[in-house]
Amino acid sequence: MLDAVDFSKIRYFRRVELDDEATGNTYPGSIVKSLKDFQPDAINVGDLEVSVDEALAFLKKFLRLTHCDLFFADAAILVEGAVEKLLLPKMIDLAAGGLNTKYITILEVGGAYSMRFAKLLEFLGIPYLVITDIDSVDPNNNRKGCKATDAGAVTSNASIKYFFDGSALVSDLTAKADADHIQADNMRFVSYQKKIEIEYGGAVHGFHGRTLEEVFVYENHGLFSSGALSIGKDIPADATEFHQVVWERIKSSTFKKTEFAMDVLAHEPDDDDASWVVPEYVAVGLRWLEGRVGDQPVAGEQNA
């Protein structure tokens, strides 16, 4: 349909529950959204400036080429890249199996583009989860990538700054409560890495990954220490060394992210091996989305 007609001629039908105030009964119905009435916001975040016309042209091209199924989805998940997209179906199985009964479209959009879909998804009434990276950088060292635990670290992720009104300090972002991540009148949840406390070497230590791959290793360190999974480096027994080795390895140019994801998917636990766990920041977002599109409609609505 998108190939055959102009974007503005699309009509989107969404199922809703209609309340009859006179009788107190509820009836199934539909509302119709005309894409002719849709207009995105201009974006101005840091050095990124996108006009209304540019934003609309991007959406038209993206949806026509790759994701016209968005119009038929119960919900959408916007992810950074190939690793997230590869691992997400298994993560849903492990953390939010109820989503398997819904049609979920997964959009691979990177960290700089997810905010471009916000107004369209909200216009259509499609709940969505954004899973993105904190991408910590040192503002005093030419914005060079740094560990998320470094003092004064800020995020370079334009979407995070957009969704959190310009907040950039990693320490401020990691201190936000789960409720702060629920936005746009319960239509959006934004997930990114936060500081976690895990037992390592017989004591509890704090770790904070800047990417999915990094935090995955921290939260599944037992599998990497035993050799069941590997990042191509020996895993130190000391927690501080472990943090440094993982951070340096994940950000190196020789680390193959897609191969890492495939190895994780191929891992089959045996009697001595546990299965891997879903990073907490991803699991929290998936559980929110599971509840949001569950069998009980939220705010009297159900997407079509």
Side-chain angles (χ1 to χ4, degrees):
M1 286 166 39
L2 284 172
D3 278 335
V5 300
D6 185 75
F7 187 83
S8 65
K9 296 181 179 179
I10 297 293
R11 302 295 181 268
Y12 179 78
F13 290 73
R14 182 157 57 92
R15 293 195 304 271
V16 295
E17 297 295 326
L18 301 174
D19 296 323
D20 187 332
E21 295 182 0
T23 65
N25 295 326
T26 300
Y27 303 96
S30 296
I31 60 173
V32 183
K33 296 276 188 171
S34 169
L35 269 295
K36 184 178 181 180
D37 298 329
F38 169 70
Q39 183 166 311
D41 287 340
I43 296 171
N44 189 344
V45 181
D47 296 331
L48 178 64
E49 293 187 12
V50 181
S51 70
V52 170
D53 289 342
E54 289 171 332
L56 185 58
F58 168 82
L59 287 170
K60 289 179 179 179
K61 183 179 294 185
F62 188 93
L63 293 171
R64 176 171 286 131
L65 291 176
T66 60
H67 275 289
C68 53
D69 67 327
L70 175 66
F71 291 101
F72 304 96
D74 294 303
I77 303 177
L78 282 61
V79 299
E80 283 269 339
V83 172
E84 289 87 349
K85 194 167 185 178
L86 283 169
L87 293 179
L88 204 54
K90 182 63 175 177
M91 288 182 173
I92 288 173
D93 288 343
L94 294 173
L99 290 176
N100 287 321
T101 65
K102 305 296 179 182
Y103 185 79
I104 310 295
T105 186
I106 301 172
L107 284 69
E108 182 184 335
V109 296
Y113 289 93
S114 55
M115 71 275 205
R116 298 197 188 195
F117 292 87
K119 286 298 180 182
L120 177 61
L121 290 163
E122 291 154 25
F123 178 81
L124 296 176
I126 300 174
Y128 62 108
L129 167 64
V130 179
I131 300 175
T132 193
D133 287 339
I134 196 74
D135 286 332
S136 50
V137 297
D138 184 348
N140 300 314
N141 188 17
N142 295 319
R143 298 183 66 81
K144 185 178 180 180
C146 67
K147 292 195 290 293
T149 50
D150 288 354
V154 299
T155 181
S156 63
N157 188 307
S159 290
I160 290 178
K161 288 183 280 188
Y162 176 85
F163 289 131
F164 291 92
D165 298 323
S167 293
L169 267 177
V170 170
S171 57
D172 290 344
L173 291 166
T174 198
K176 291 188 179 295
D178 285 351
D180 296 323
H181 296 257
I182 303 172
Q183 304 172 352
D185 293 327
N186 201 36
M187 290 296 297
R188 173 175 73 231
F189 192 102
V190 183
S191 284
Y192 52 78
Q193 298 84 8
K194 290 188 172 185
K195 187 176 181 180
I196 54 173
E197 302 287 334
I198 61 174
E199 184 175 336
Y200 193 88
V204 175
H205 298 273
F207 295 90
H208 191 168
R210 69 190 298 272
T211 63
L212 170 68
E213 297 83 8
E214 191 181 344
V215 78
F216 187 94
V217 177
Y218 298 145
E219 294 195 42
N220 290 278
H221 62 87
L223 293 175
F224 292 90
S225 295
S226 69
L229 290 172
S230 174
I231 57 171
K233 291 286 185 180
D234 292 335
I235 302 300
D238 178 78
T240 302
E241 291 180 20
F242 172 58
H243 195 175
Q244 185 70 22
V245 166
V246 173
W247 176 70
E248 289 183 350
R249 176 58 178 155
I250 299 299
K251 74 180 181 68
S252 71
S253 60
T254 58
F255 182 74
K256 307 299 183 184
K257 292 187 175 185
T258 302
E259 291 180 11
F260 172 83
M262 297 302 293
D263 286 344
V264 169
L265 289 175
H267 172 67
E268 292 291 344
D270 56 30
D271 293 339
D272 299 321
D273 237 355
S275 179
W276 52 270
V277 299
V278 179
E280 183 60 18
Y281 80 99
V282 176
V284 167
L286 290 175
R287 289 193 291 265
W288 170 83
L289 191 62
E290 181 182 39
R292 181 61 178 79
V293 297
D295 292 333
Q296 296 300 316
V298 176
E301 295 188 359
Q302 180 181 354
N303 292 333

